[in-house]
Amino acid sequence: MRALEFPGVGCYTTALLHMSFLTSFFGDGTSSYLRSIEPVVATINGLEATFAEKTDGQLRQATERLKERLVQGEMTDDILPEAFALVREAAKRTIKQRHFDVQLVGGITLHKGKIAEMRTGEGKTLVATLPTFLNALSGKGVHVVTVNDYLSRRDTVWMGQIYNLLGLSVAVINHESSYLYDPAHKELDHERDEVASFKVVYEFLRPCTRREAYAADITYGTNNEFGFDYLRDHLVYSEGGLVQRNYHFAVVDEVDSILIDEARTPLIISSPFAEAESLYAKFSEIAQALTAGEHYDVDEKLRAITLKDAGIDRAEKLLGIENIYTERGIKYVHHLETAVRAKALFERDREYVVKDGEIVIVDEATGRLQPGRRWSEGLHQAIEAKEGVKVQQESRTLASITFQNYFRLYDKLAGMTGTAFTSKEEFFKVYGLDVIPVPPNKPSGRKDEVDLIYQSEMGKFKAIARHIKGLNEKGQPVLVGTVSIEKNELLSAFLTKEGIRHEILNAKNHEREGEIVAQAGRKGSVVIATNMAGRGVDILLGGAPASKEAAEEIRALGGLAVIGTERHEARRVDNQLRGRAGRQGDPGSTQFFVSMEDSLMRVFASDTVKALMGRLGIPEDEAIQNRMVSRSLESAQEKIEGFHFDSRKHLLEYDDVLNHHRRAIYTKRQGLVHASLEDLLGFLEEISAGDEGIMKMVEEKKQQLGPESFTVILRQLVLQVIDLYWMEHLEAMEYMRGSVRLRAYGQRDPLVEYKREGLNLFKNLESDIHGQILHLLPNIGGVSFAAEQPQAQAIHESASSPLSAPTDDAAHTRNQAPAAEKSRDASGHEIGRNDPCPCDSGLKYKKCGLINAPEHKIK
């Protein structure tokens, strides 16, 4: 973000008139909205001179007065002009930047709980300070959500100066640690600047507990960290383990990436429960012996495989069995299908890389590595077996939630991005969020060229290399966007052959990401990056930091030239790449090179278009421009966007059913975490229907252990039973979700069936929990309960894409618990989880033998 000029007072009217002129471009709804807030912008501007005369201490006093007005009953809308004017003045004094009028418009839009679509380079990070400060004045806390840990830290350090001057506390939660902004704390003594280098930024950040970070007025963090903390808060055994407090207001940066691209990615807390089976290696060998077309078919649109009879026969022969369905059941069939999927649909250095002996998923949208994330249902293990690395443990789900249902917890939600308008329908239907395109501060100087279409991919890359060479010879900086590591490295080979010096940025070389992208505006620079890499980092003409002379030289050359090597399946991603050029009125150009062999065209283009290209008979590296092909591209993108929308909608419909169960269980559980001894005794009396024998026994246990110890042990007993049965319920719902799909063949709606049977399961869940608590109460005297929350894995799961890896179960690994020790009966025989308990209670061991107490006699 560049330093902003300070226009004189006479410019305010001109700015408003300019904004009014631009509103006509966006249509009636947006136009009328923008006109309605022009008086508010004028009021804020009218306060600027008054606040400019105040001392720093007087600005902090003004903050306290605004807080008092809220306590006295005024609404945030009433104090908005003064709050925004305060933030603008604080920004001028600390980071030497002043909010433009259109940035005030963006701030008002966010405060109203909408999405502000603002182009790259318009200063979204600075815009967020306005509604964040205003809504933090209530004392309930505001969460600012970013796409990675570095940006969370950077923005905390950068924007924290503004909040600190105004008397508000700021913190950041990262994957490993949490920090409070403290200007007196200087761990690193280095000069900070505006360049978003991805080097570690900890200056002015003092380590703190996670609970302290959430207690701050403003907390920065990633969507994963906020979501996982929510789940972990519902697994703790005492109040001291809770970290979050309110879900008051969240501002989501790059809102389309988080609320749409990652909305197919449920968050899961899981715990390992079994060693990986040798079956994965066996079926991987079988899959390698099968041939596409002969033994199985591949559907690239649906990212699916279908086994043929010949393939099943071949597998049965290799396994040495007569009938895989009757002899081994669905387990072997599942292993076979998964192994074939791993072979046919998942390619190394495209969907994943092998790093340090592990399979690491490559994010389909960003091209970045996702360490710790794992595919579900045995797919990740199948790929591990395919690549010959160690096959990891399987796990059981302890808790889960989708991003849709997590972010709908907030009283008010807002977001900002440069590319939201094409997804406005989904934002409104799922989150109730309107999308408002905010006019740019200066008219765009970017020129978007028409697509160049080639018959073959090799011909396309030859043409791209020639085009880049021509731009490079005159010194114009070039940024090239590719869709995968594979294509990234392929283009690099073409440029090397042409003798063009360049930087490669992909999942294998991401450590210098911010530095490479920030310098992409230098003269003669050529950067090849996977799509969206470096998002959140501005490309300054001339490089960063750049002199005015260097910037002007690049402007004279035409600004940054952005080249797309193929169309992405989502128009938003194409627009994100385009948005790299032409920031803040700078010149720039964008052009996409596509071929009929690109995934999008090969899978989705009509046969008519393919036949047309074949009849033209032009050289492979010669481009054409054809309306039919262009329309076919746009149609393919719309189809895939619709596919993804339906996929996310489908996921949400099912999770909404489970969400009713989740909210009920979590509400009950949180009440018990906070419960006093009297509350716990009341709970026991309720579930025992006042039995004078159970309550007498409980009273004796209380006297025996003492009230304090009894309270701790009783609470842990109750919570552990709830967690056990909730885990069983999640598994039952997941199995049922798979089975109800088959009922569509009987003309029954699977979702209706899922709701109906899910309700029955949930009704039984409560009675089972109560029965097990009462059954275990007699053992409470000698029980050694877990004193801390069990360690687990935090998993980020995602769904399939028709063209790229379906990250069905992406995982964000935390700490991993050791495998449970096997239980044995008096004869030394191993007791299975589903075996009858040897104590003759009539219950399965997993329920009866949950607490291995001395009183639990195994016969």
Side-chain angles (χ1 to χ4, degrees), residues 124 178 183 217 305 315 335 378 382 417 440 487 494 501 511 535 575 593 737 753 773 775 803 809:
K124 292 187 288 292
S178 302
D217 295 311
I305 61 98
H335 272 288
T417 180
K487 300 299 170 61
F494 274 94
R501 294 183 60 184
E511 290 82 2
R535 193 166 182 179
N575 292 337
F593 289 67
R737 180 175 171 180
E753 295 288 301
I773 290 171
H775 173 73
L803 289 182
D809 202 22

Side-chain angles (χ1 to χ4, degrees), residues 43 215 272 319 327 332 358 393-394 466 500 540 548 574 607 658 660 790:
T43 303
L319 286 167
E327 292 187 37
Y332 267 35
E358 294 186 355
Q393 288 180 316
E394 298 182 30
R466 281 202 311 269
I500 302 170
L540 304 180
K548 289 186 177 179
D574 289 345
D607 292 335
L658 192 58
H660 290 297

Side-chain angles (χ1 to χ4, degrees), residues 314-323 327-328:
R314 176 70 169 148
E316 289 171 342
K317 183 177 181 180
L318 292 171
L319 286 167
I321 60 177
E322 289 288 332
N323 190 318
E327 292 187 37
R328 299 295 182 177

Side-chain angles (χ1 to χ4, degrees), residues 446-454 464 467 471 479-481 560-567 577-578 581 588-594 623 625:
R446 189 183 79 210
K447 184 178 181 182
D448 297 329
E449 305 286 357
V450 295
D451 293 352
L452 296 178
I453 303 157
Y454 297 82
I464 292 173
H467 184 63
L471 296 173
L479 175 67
V480 188
L560 179 69
V562 170
I563 295 174
T565 58
E566 64 185 89
R567 288 282 196 167
L577 181 61
R578 287 192 191 277
S589 63
T590 68
Q591 187 156 49
F592 279 85
F593 289 67
V594 300
Q625 295 173 359

Side-chain angles (χ1 to χ4, degrees), residues 185-320:
H185 183 82
K186 294 193 68 173
E187 182 171 312
L188 298 177
D189 185 17
H190 63 81
E191 182 181 350
R192 290 178 300 107
D193 56 36
E194 299 170 356
V195 181
S197 170
F198 273 61
K199 295 176 182 176
V200 179
V201 173
Y202 290 111
E203 189 178 15
F204 305 141
L205 295 181
R206 175 168 54 82
C208 68
T209 66
R210 220 163 178 85
R211 189 168 187 168
E212 288 175 322
Y214 278 108
D217 295 311
I218 299 159
T219 306
Y220 283 81
T222 66
N223 48 319
N224 283 351
E225 297 306 315
F226 285 119
F228 282 133
D229 283 340
Y230 168 79
L231 292 177
R232 281 189 286 267
D233 268 1
H234 291 87
L235 290 172
V236 300
Y237 295 147
S238 66
E239 286 187 88
L242 298 171
V243 296
Q244 291 187 337
R245 48 182 185 130
N246 298 309
Y247 302 96
H248 171 52
F249 178 48
V251 179
V252 182
D253 193 12
E254 307 297 1
V255 67
D256 54 330
S257 175
I258 292 174
L259 296 191
I260 290 187
D261 293 336
E262 302 218 21
R264 292 176 288 145
T265 60
L267 299 171
I268 295 177
I269 299 286
S270 70
S271 178
F273 79 102
E275 292 294 335
E277 301 179 60
S278 60
L279 289 177
Y280 289 110
K282 178 185 293 185
F283 278 95
S284 180
E285 292 178 7
I286 292 173
Q288 296 306 317
L290 303 184
T291 306
E294 179 184 356
H295 298 117
Y296 61 89
D297 289 327
V298 180
D299 188 327
E300 292 189 82
K301 289 186 179 181
L302 298 178
R303 295 285 296 175
I305 61 98
T306 303
L307 288 170
K308 292 185 170 184
D309 289 341
I312 295 170
D313 292 341
R314 176 70 169 148
E316 289 171 342
K317 183 177 181 180
L318 292 171
L319 286 167

